[in-house]
Amino acid sequence: MPRELLTVSAGQAGNQISGEFWAQLCAEHGIRPDGVVDDYPFASSSSSAPSLGSAAPSPSSSSFGKQQPAPYHDRKDVFFYQADDERYIPRAVMIDLEPRVLNGIRNSAYKNLYNPENFYSSPDGGGAGNNFAKGHAAGDAVWNDIAEMLEREAEGSDSLEGIMLMHSIAGGTGAGLGSYVLERLSDVFPKKLIQTYSVFPHMENSDVVVQPYNSILTLQRLTEHADSVVVLDNRALASICQDRLHVGEPSFAQTNQLCSTVMAASTQTLRYPGYMNNDLVSIIASLIPTPRCHFLTTSYTPFTSDKVEQARAVRKTTVLDVMRRLLQPKNRLVSTSFGSDAKSNCYISIMNIIQGDEVDPTDVHRSLVRIRERSLASFIPWGPASIQVALTKQSPYVRAKSAAEGTAPPPRVSGCMLANHTGIATVFAQQLQQFDKVRARKAFVTEYQREPMFEKGLEPFDEARAVVKELIDEYRAAEKPEYVDYGAPATSEALNLELNRLLHWYGETRSSWEAGCSALAYTHSAVLCAVATPLTPPVNALQHRGFTRRFCQSRSVSQLEI
């Protein structure tokens, strides 16, 4: 049974990326804009019988009465569900405070694909005016309508694994309303994984003067309420369009297609499963060793685009070439240097998702040996220095369509890298530096003070800044061997007092869990285990860690390790 995912998009950037993402998924699963599966010939390598999540093409005049090949083993049900008329419907909720972008999606070629009940735009249509506090307050007013959509989609899923949120951190709706939705999702669905695809602003070319305020306030919520955050940097996207796609001034459609391509590639192992990493929890658990350091960077190669004529040509690709290019900064969707100018920066974890129908595991092994010999990646001193590789098949529908239309076929081998790197703290530090400049002058705070969040003062700014500063400090500490003792109580006496306080609070507030601890062991430097035994065991270890994350943050504990 596939583990389903629910997508939520908020604001202009989130909904535009969502529209491109669903168009990409439809192309990779052979689904037409009206939700009907296309009658493309399947790959000759497929030899398995139909399985759950796969659908055979409907007979047509050209194929009726002929022996149909066995359908490719793809899991459409991860992101789609079938309606009563057998059409595939995206499991998507799109919300905005102004109707322009949603109306564009309703009038697009995919207007008959979506469930019309899953669109929400504010009745007044005024938007949030690039004000985080206004968008956050609007979320409180419209939450009941949004919650009804989310609960309907969640209840209609057989085995919902997680929720994916797409938004921007610089505007009003994506940042404010998106943050409010994120806060409520962690409360309403406490046992579901919450992964966000967050668009970070181009700080040198931004037309939003209050962007530093919105970014820091949103970063606080991403740190406290998300299980995984995939960073998409507008500056890096613009650089890739200029350098790799040869576009001087990229349009929103072109940059959004880059985002959707990376999003689709990062979920390829879920939709075209292989031997490993067939669900979201296995991917996130291997990339995020500690709860707060959950911000991921992405790389992709080779970049192609249907909207750019110069980017359609693809040269020969090999496994070694793809894995080497994934480590290069020019293919990374975060505009920070992880190279020689920051020698202390290092990788916490790496996962390469290699797509190809004829990828030899021997080539993967040789590539890993070559990367190690050349020292192309440096890792943390307190953890394993290894690159995880997940092999997955390419979509047979894309190749069949290109052959039928006579267009350039997709590359033989392509790759997507998900990495947890301490250099991401540089992006946060740049945001914090911009915030400090405008905060010191108290610039543009009048509009924020008119909203309920700031009616008692500007303390929310200071609280958000403190959280982001702690996040930067923790990423810096992760570069050192002493990180295993980061935030631990100084003395065993202080440790005992903190444990007693935690257990007392835990027994009072968790009625569905046994009061007390099944295992309690500690040393002078760290809390090793302080978690009660549940009456119903969690499904996986990451749910333990998700509980631990909220457990630690609500009680100001720096480190618990299960």
Side-chain angles (χ1 to χ4, degrees):
M1 176 183 296
R3 304 293 302 279
E4 296 99 340
L5 296 175
L6 168 63
T7 66
V8 182
S9 54
Q12 175 182 343
N15 286 310
Q16 288 178 339
I17 293 175
S18 179
E20 291 287 344
F21 175 65
W22 287 110
Q24 181 79 14
L25 291 191
C26 286
E28 293 188 3
H29 288 284
I31 299 175
R32 295 202 298 257
D34 58 358
V36 179
V37 177
D38 248 326
D39 189 12
Y40 288 136
F42 290 93
S44 59
S45 60
S46 59
S47 59
S48 60
S51 60
L52 185 61
S54 61
S58 57
S60 62
S61 58
S62 61
S63 60
F64 184 76
K66 297 181 180 180
Q67 182 71 24
Q68 290 292 327
Y72 211 89
H73 183 53
D74 64 328
R75 291 179 174 175
K76 296 181 177 66
D77 292 354
V78 172
F79 285 98
F80 296 87
Y81 64 90
Q82 282 188 283
D84 294 341
D85 56 358
E86 301 300 322
R87 292 191 307 114
Y88 281 92
I89 308 296
R91 195 175 291 104
V93 174
M94 299 183 178
I95 55 180
D96 206 344
L97 296 180
E98 58 97 10
R100 180 174 56 88
V101 175
L102 294 184
N103 286 341
I105 296 176
R106 289 190 184 103
N107 297 324
S108 67
Y110 292 86
K111 60 184 178 181
N112 296 324
L113 178 69
Y114 304 99
N115 182 356
E117 295 181 345
N118 288 355
F119 288 86
Y120 180 84
S121 57
S122 178
D124 56 15
N130 292 325
N131 187 329
F132 177 96
K134 186 175 182 180
H136 195 275
D140 190 23
V142 304
W143 170 249
N144 289 337
D145 295 330
I146 299 174
E148 181 182 355
M149 302 177 188
L150 297 173
E151 291 173 357
R152 182 179 65 249
E153 292 296 329
E155 292 172 357
S157 304
D158 294 330
S159 179
L160 184 67
E161 182 180 22
I163 301 172
M164 294 170 51
L165 174 65
M166 311 171 199
H167 71 125
S168 169
I169 73 168
T173 303
L177 178 59
S179 294
Y180 185 88
V181 172
L182 178 62
E183 294 171 359
R184 298 305 298 267
L185 285 176
S186 62
D187 294 334
V188 178
F189 303 99
K191 292 187 178 182
K192 306 301 179 185
L193 296 177
I194 301 177
Q195 183 177 44
T196 74
Y197 287 84
S198 303
V199 180
F200 280 56
H202 191 328
M203 291 180 293
E204 299 176 359
N205 188 22
S206 175
D207 56 352
V208 181
V209 293
V210 293
Q211 159 214 305
Y213 291 146
N214 298 335
S215 299
I216 294 300
L217 291 169
T218 309
L219 273 175
Q220 177 192 9
R221 275 73 182 181
L222 292 175
T223 303
E224 295 178 342
H225 298 282
D227 292 303
S228 172
V229 178
V230 179
V231 178
L232 303 172
D233 192 350
N234 264 337
R235 181 178 178 181
L237 292 172
S239 177
I240 289 173
C241 286
Q242 293 172 0
D243 300 338
R244 313 297 290 170
L245 304 184
H246 310 290
V247 178
E249 296 182 359
S251 64
F252 283 136
Q254 291 165 348
T255 55
N256 291 337
Q257 188 183 37
L258 291 182
C259 295
S260 65
T261 300
V262 172
M263 292 174 60
S266 65
T267 60
Q268 188 80 4
T269 59
L270 312 181
R271 300 177 290 111
Y272 286 89
Y275 295 104
M276 298 175 60
N277 306 114
N278 296 333
D279 51 7
L280 186 62
V281 62
S282 63
I283 296 177
I284 294 180
S286 60
L287 290 171
I288 303 174
T290 58
R292 289 175 66 88
C293 297
H294 58 250
F295 291 82
L296 306 179
T297 64
T298 56
S299 296
Y300 185 82
T301 188
F303 280 107
T304 59
S305 175
D306 295 335
K307 296 180 172 60
V308 183
E309 192 69 30
Q310 300 93 322
R312 294 182 182 178
V314 178
R315 295 170 176 83
K316 182 179 179 180
T317 56
T318 62
V319 175
L320 174 60
D321 182 63
V322 167
M323 294 186 67
R324 180 178 55 84
R325 289 176 181 270
L326 288 176
L327 295 171
Q328 296 176 350
K330 62 183 179 182
N331 293 316
R332 192 177 296 120
L333 273 69
V334 176
S335 60
T336 181
S337 176
F338 297 167
S340 58
D341 60 337
K343 294 183 179 179
S344 61
N345 291 345
C346 52
Y347 285 98
I348 298 176
S349 56
I350 296 179
M351 174 179 288
N352 287 343
I353 299 175
I354 306 299
Q355 301 181 35
D357 293 333
E358 300 177 358
V359 176
D360 189 353
T362 305
D363 295 337
V364 175
H365 177 71
R366 283 199 294 262
S367 302
L368 292 174
V369 172
R370 188 74 59 85
I371 291 173
R372 183 181 61 187
E373 291 174 348
R374 296 183 180 181
S375 300
L376 298 180
S378 58
F379 285 85
I380 49 177
W382 48 270
S386 61
I387 298 177
Q388 304 173 70
V389 179
L391 302 181
T392 181
K393 299 293 185 181
Q394 291 181 329
S395 168
Y397 301 98
V398 175
R399 189 172 295 277
K401 184 177 180 180
S402 64
E405 297 178 353
T407 58
R412 188 182 70 88
V413 181
S414 61
C416 175
M417 181 180 75
L418 293 173
N420 196 345
H421 197 282
T422 60
I424 195 68
T426 305
V427 178
F428 306 147
Q430 293 172 352
Q431 300 285 347
L432 198 60
Q433 183 180 10
Q434 294 288 333
F435 172 83
D436 288 340
K437 290 180 180 179
V438 294
R439 180 72 176 89
R441 297 180 175 87
K442 295 185 178 180
F444 311 111
V445 299
T446 305
E447 295 297 326
Y448 288 85
Q449 290 175 322
R450 296 175 181 174
E451 302 300 331
M453 178 184 293
F454 292 90
E455 61 184 3
K456 295 182 180 180
L458 300 177
E459 286 78 10
F461 281 142
D462 301 329
E463 295 173 2
R465 188 195 185 283
V467 171
V468 176
K469 184 62 170 62
E470 290 176 1
L471 177 64
I472 296 173
D473 293 341
E474 182 159 353
Y475 267 109
R476 295 305 184 204
E479 300 170 352
K480 303 175 182 177
E482 297 80 13
Y483 179 68
V484 292
D485 297 336
Y486 180 78
T491 64
S492 58
E493 182 180 355
L495 177 61
N496 286 328
L497 292 176
E498 185 65 18
L499 286 175
N500 290 333
R501 184 169 66 86
L502 285 171
L503 293 176
H504 178 71
W505 170 84
Y506 184 75
E508 287 182 347
T509 58
R510 294 286 175 173
S511 58
S512 63
W513 291 57
E514 290 183 358
C517 254
S518 61
L520 178 59
Y522 62 89
T523 66
H524 68 284
S525 60
V527 180
L528 294 181
C529 187
V531 178
T533 300
L535 294 176
T536 303
V539 176
N540 51 56
L542 194 63
Q543 289 185 1
H544 265 304
R545 194 169 76 236
F547 165 75
T548 306
R549 171 175 57 80
R550 298 181 178 91
F551 189 72
C552 295
Q553 292 168 355
S554 62
R555 307 308 298 174
S556 302
V557 178
S558 299
Q559 179 182 0
L560 279 99
E561 178 183 350
I562 299 179

